[in-house]
Amino acid sequence: MKKIGIIAAVCSVMIGIQSIAPLAAQHGNRWMSAFQLAQNETEAIVMSQTSLELESGKEAQLQVQYRSGGAVKNVSIEWDSNDSDIAVVDSNGVVTAKEEGTAIITARVGGNTAVCEVTVKTGLEGIRLMPTELELEEGENAALSVVCTPSDIAYIPEIIWSSDNEDVVEVDDRGNLTAKKQGKATITVQVGSFTKMSEITVKGEEIPLNAIQLTDSKVVLLQGESMELELTYDPENTTIQKDVAWTSSDAEIVSVNNRGEITALKIGTAVITAEVDGKKDTCEVTVEEEQIPLESVQLSESKIELKKGEKNTLTVTYQPEDTTDNKEVTWTSSNEEVAVVRDGEIEAIALGQAVITAKVSGKEATCEVTVKEEGIGLEAISFEEEELNLKEGEEATLKVIYEPEDTTVEKTVIWTSSDESVVSVKDGIVKAVGIGEAVVTAEVEGKQAYCDVVVQKKPVDDVKLQYEIYDSENGWLDAVGEGETAGTEAFSMKAVRIRLEENKIGGGIRYSSYVQDIGWQGYVANGVMAGTIGKDQRIEAIKIKLTGAIASKYDIYYRSHVEEEGWLGWAKNGEPSGSEGLEKEMQAIQIVLIEKGQKGPSE
C-alpha cells in the first residue's frame, strides 16, 4: 500500500483568543501553565465549552472557570489532549484541529478536571478518480488523478493508493501505474473517509490452456480428516485466468471449498471435480470410519453401603467416550446371596459383602457392596447456638444435636471453618484467631449445621477508644467501644464523634469527614463533632489519625459501611475510607487500635 501526504496552506481562525503571556513548559503534548490567579485548587471546575466542532487547520480558545462561577486565579492549569494526531492544545487553552476524528481536551486544576470533546472535520465533500477504467500493455506506464470536492478546502487529508494485485499492476504514492504482466488489478485511492476505484487490464500474448490435472486421482480419508488437493496446468505458463470451480458429487460425504480443501464428513465415496476454462479433472475420495479403541471403563461408585432390600444403580463411563469398540456391558456379582445386579441396578439381598463387576470389550471396573442391617437414619443436625460473638483469643464449644436422638448412624462429625484466619475449629472447640466473620460447619452423614461467628478485637488496656454517630433516622446513637459497630448499616451518617478516654500513654486523636456538597472538612480532635447536623448533608468518607505519644505505639484501623457497597476494606493512619467522589452515604463505622508491628484486620 502506497501513501502520500498533501500539505495544504491553511488559514488559522482564532476564536476568542485572549492575549496572555504564561510561563509554560511542554512535555510531549502536555502543557503546564502557571497563571497568577487566586482560587482554592480543590473547588470543582467547568470548561467554557463541553463540545466543539472545528475544520482541520482551524483554532479555538477554551477557558476554565469554577463551578461556582468564579474565575480561576493564582493556580496552575494543566492542558492535555488524548489524541494529538487529531487535535492539540497549548498552555493557553488554544486548540488546533489536525486530522479528522474526535479528541478529548482536559483541563486540570489541582485534583479537579473539566473536559471538552473536539470533533475535527476536513471539509472534504467527495472525490473523483480519473479514469475509472484503463487498458495497458505489459511494461507500459500511466497515471491516475484524483480530484477533491470542493477544490478550495483548506486541508486535504492523506492520500493512500493501493493495488489489489501488485504482480499485475503497481501504483506509487502519486498514482503512477506500471503494468507488470497480463491480468487484471483494481487500483483504490482513499482520501479521508472517501474511496474510489479504477479497473486496470494488462494485455499480453495469450497462451491457451490445454489441460488440467489433479495430483491425486484417488484419496482415502478417515472421518473428520481434511486435506488440500493440488492442481497442475498444461502448459504451466498459460495466460488464461486460473479461476478454479470445485464441486463434490456428494457434499454430505465430502465437502470442498474454493481453495480445493476437502473434508471427510461421513462414511462413503464422493468424486471431487476441478474445472478451469472448460477443462476438468476428478479425484475419487473414500471416507472410512476411524477406529478408536477403548482404554478403560469406570463405575459411578467404587464402594456402596446398602440396607437389606435397598437398591442402587451404577453407571459406566468410557475412556475415551467416543470409542468405536462395542459398548455392551456384562454385569456380574461375586456373591448373589448378598447382592444381585441387573443392567447396573444392585439389590441388597442379605447381610455381607459382594463385588459387582462391569466388563466391556475386555476392560473391567468393580464396586464393593456392603449390606448392613436396617437402622435408624439421621434426619438433621443442629447447634444449641446459631451465633457466637467472641473477642480475639477467646474460645467456645459447639454441641451437635441429632434428630432423632436415637439415630444409629455413626456420629463422626466433620468440622470446618469458612475462614481459618478468623476462626479455627477442632472437635467442636471454636477459637477466635483474628478480627472478622466466619461460618463454622458441622457435617454428619451428609447433614449439616451452621454457626455464624463474629470475632472482635480484644480492646487494649492502656487507653479506651469510644465513638458515636448521628444518623438521619435516630439522631445520636449510643457510643460504642473499640471494634464495635457504630451505626445501623441502613441510615445515612450525618456526624461523628471519636474520643480517647483513660489515656495512660499521651497524645490524641484527630479526624476529618468528607461531607456531601462540601468535601473534606478540617480536622477536629478528641470528641469534637465532625460532619453537619440539620443541613441534610451526608458523610461520604472519613480520615482518622493518632497524634503524639499514642501514635508511636499504635496504628489506628477503620472501615466504612457504604450505601449499596456494604463494608469496605480497612484503612489506617489517615487514609480515606468511604465513597469520596461517588456520592454514596456512609451508614456505619468500625475502629480498632493495633499495636505497632502487629498485623491489622486487613492483613
Side-chain angles (χ1 to χ4, degrees):
M1 182 177 288
K2 306 292 190 285
K3 300 182 179 179
I4 180 168
I6 302 297
I7 301 175
V10 296
C11 176
S12 299
V13 178
M14 306 301 289
I15 304 175
I17 298 179
Q18 299 178 355
S19 177
I20 53 178
L23 177 62
Q26 186 178 11
H27 305 279
N29 186 43
R30 178 171 292 183
W31 286 86
M32 292 293 295
S33 305
F35 291 84
Q36 301 303 309
L37 311 168
Q39 185 66 325
N40 188 337
E41 287 192 357
T42 64
E43 187 174 347
I45 61 172
V46 293
M47 196 82 78
S48 58
Q49 294 170 268
T50 58
S51 63
L52 183 64
E53 190 172 292
L54 291 174
E55 288 188 6
S56 296
K58 299 294 181 68
E59 296 180 343
Q61 173 75 59
L62 293 177
Q63 295 178 339
V64 175
Q65 67 182 34
Y66 289 107
R67 191 181 295 278
S68 61
V72 176
K73 298 179 180 180
N74 292 343
V75 293
S76 294
I77 302 178
E78 180 183 346
W79 294 92
D80 181 35
S81 169
N82 75 330
D83 195 332
S84 58
D85 290 334
I86 294 173
V88 295
V89 60
D90 68 11
S91 60
N92 300 325
V94 177
V95 179
T96 302
K98 298 177 72 179
E99 296 285 348
E100 188 173 50
T102 301
I104 303 299
I105 304 301
T106 302
R108 293 181 178 83
V109 176
N112 296 295
T113 62
V115 298
C116 176
E117 181 178 272
V118 178
T119 301
V120 179
K121 297 185 176 180
T122 63
L124 183 65
E125 297 175 0
I127 62 171
R128 287 186 297 129
L129 180 61
M130 299 182 294
T132 57
E133 293 183 357
L134 187 62
E135 287 189 357
L136 298 174
E137 299 289 338
E138 287 186 14
E140 188 178 357
N141 295 318
L144 299 178
S145 60
V146 63
V147 179
C148 297
T149 303
S151 59
D152 59 348
I153 60 173
Y155 175 81
I156 298 177
E158 182 181 26
I159 299 177
I160 302 172
W161 295 91
S162 63
S163 168
D164 71 343
N165 192 345
E166 292 190 343
D167 291 337
V168 174
V169 180
E170 287 186 348
V171 61
D172 67 11
D173 57 6
R174 296 181 178 275
N176 296 317
L177 307 179
T178 302
K180 305 289 287 182
K181 70 175 184 179
Q182 185 179 5
K184 292 185 177 181
T186 299
I187 304 301
T188 301
V189 65
Q190 180 178 344
V191 184
S193 60
F194 297 96
T195 59
K196 292 292 181 181
M197 292 179 288
S198 179
E199 301 296 331
I200 311 298
T201 301
V202 179
K203 294 184 174 181
E205 181 185 357
E206 291 189 2
I207 303 174
L209 177 65
N210 297 328
I212 62 172
Q213 185 175 6
L214 289 167
T215 54
D216 295 294
S217 59
K218 290 187 177 182
V219 170
V220 177
L221 295 178
L222 295 178
Q223 201 170 358
E225 284 186 335
S226 296
M227 69 171 290
E228 190 168 318
L229 296 177
E230 295 182 5
L231 188 64
T232 60
Y233 300 87
D234 179 22
E236 290 185 3
N237 63 340
T238 177
T239 58
I240 61 96
Q241 193 75 18
K242 295 178 180 178
D243 293 328
V244 185
W246 296 92
T247 56
S248 170
S249 64
D250 193 333
E252 291 185 357
I253 295 175
V254 181
S255 66
V256 61
N257 63 19
N258 58 8
R259 300 189 309 275
E261 182 181 40
I262 58 175
T263 301
L265 300 177
K266 71 177 186 179
I267 300 169
T269 301
V271 176
I272 303 300
T273 301
E275 182 175 357
V276 181
D277 197 33
K279 305 297 189 289
K280 297 180 180 180
D281 196 18
T282 60
C283 174
E284 182 181 275
V285 182
T286 301
V287 180
E288 297 180 349
E289 183 181 21
E290 182 182 5
Q291 297 301 309
I292 305 174
L294 178 66
E295 296 176 5
S296 64
V297 291
Q298 186 174 356
L299 292 176
S300 53
E301 304 277 355
S302 60
K303 288 186 178 182
I304 295 178
E305 288 188 358
L306 298 175
K307 296 180 179 63
K308 184 178 176 180
E310 282 187 335
K311 294 182 179 181
N312 197 318
T313 300
L314 298 174
T315 58
V316 178
T317 55
Y318 306 88
Q319 179 62 37
E321 289 185 4
D322 58 349
T323 177
T324 56
D325 286 349
N326 189 342
K327 292 183 179 179
E328 184 177 349
V329 184
T330 301
W331 296 92
T332 57
S333 169
S334 65
N335 189 346
E336 292 193 343
E337 293 182 356
V338 172
V340 296
V341 60
R342 300 178 188 89
D343 297 326
E345 183 183 68
I346 305 170
E347 182 179 359
I349 305 298
L351 300 183
Q353 289 185 326
V355 176
I356 303 300
T357 301
K359 188 173 183 179
V360 183
S361 294
K363 309 297 181 182
E364 293 183 356
T366 60
C367 174
E368 183 180 302
V369 179
T370 302
V371 180
K372 294 183 175 182
E373 285 281 6
E374 185 174 357
I376 301 174
L378 177 65
E379 296 178 8
I381 62 172
S382 60
F383 291 131
E384 291 179 342
E385 297 178 278
E386 294 183 351
E387 293 184 1
L388 287 176
N389 289 289
L390 302 175
K391 301 290 186 182
E392 284 181 297
E394 290 183 343
E395 293 184 353
T397 300
L398 290 174
K399 181 181 178 181
V400 177
I401 301 172
Y402 299 89
E403 183 182 341
E405 291 183 3
D406 58 348
T407 178
T408 57
V409 301
E410 188 174 350
K411 296 178 180 179
T412 301
V413 184
I414 300 172
W415 296 92
T416 57
S417 168
S418 64
D419 192 339
E420 295 278 350
S421 67
V422 175
V423 172
S424 65
V425 59
K426 183 178 181 181
D427 298 330
I429 299 174
V430 179
K431 183 174 182 179
V433 178
I435 300 170
E437 298 178 6
V439 177
V440 172
T441 302
E443 182 173 346
V444 180
E445 291 288 320
K447 310 298 182 183
Q448 294 180 328
Y450 307 94
C451 179
D452 296 323
V453 183
V454 177
V455 179
Q456 297 178 342
K457 180 184 175 297
K458 182 178 181 181
V460 298
D461 55 10
D462 50 6
V463 65
K464 183 178 181 181
L465 174 64
Q466 294 280 292
Y467 47 99
E468 57 196 327
I469 70 121
Y470 184 102
D471 76 19
S472 58
E473 184 70 15
N474 306 292
W476 285 108
L477 301 179
D478 291 339
V480 298
E482 183 181 350
E484 297 178 344
T485 299
T488 62
E489 301 183 13
F491 301 116
S492 171
M493 280 177 55
K494 303 297 185 182
V496 62
R497 294 189 294 225
I498 310 171
R499 58 187 176 273
L500 298 177
E501 298 178 352
E502 303 173 17
N503 187 353
K504 303 174 184 178
I505 307 169
I509 189 168
R510 290 169 59 81
Y511 43 99
S512 170
S513 61
Y514 187 94
V515 178
Q516 174 188 3
D517 298 329
I518 295 176
W520 287 108
Q521 295 180 317
Y523 276 95
V524 296
N526 211 41
V528 177
M529 184 188 78
T532 62
I533 295 178
K535 296 184 178 182
D536 196 26
Q537 291 175 302
R538 61 182 175 264
I539 290 180
E540 297 179 354
I542 194 167
K543 295 187 289 191
I544 309 173
K545 60 185 179 180
L546 300 173
T547 62
I550 193 170
S552 300
K553 183 174 182 180
Y554 291 107
D555 291 317
I556 189 162
Y557 284 79
Y558 42 95
R559 65 172 180 167
S560 304
H561 189 282
V562 174
E563 171 191 9
E564 298 179 354
E565 303 295 333
W567 285 107
L568 303 183
W570 291 87
K572 70 174 183 177
N573 298 341
E575 296 172 348
S577 173
S579 65
E580 174 187 355
L582 299 180
E583 299 182 353
K584 294 185 179 181
E585 63 189 32
M586 277 184 62
Q587 298 170 332
I589 189 171
Q590 294 175 342
I591 310 173
V592 296
L593 296 172
I594 302 293
E595 192 166 351
K596 292 284 188 181
Q598 300 299 313
K599 287 186 177 181
S602 62
E603 298 169 339

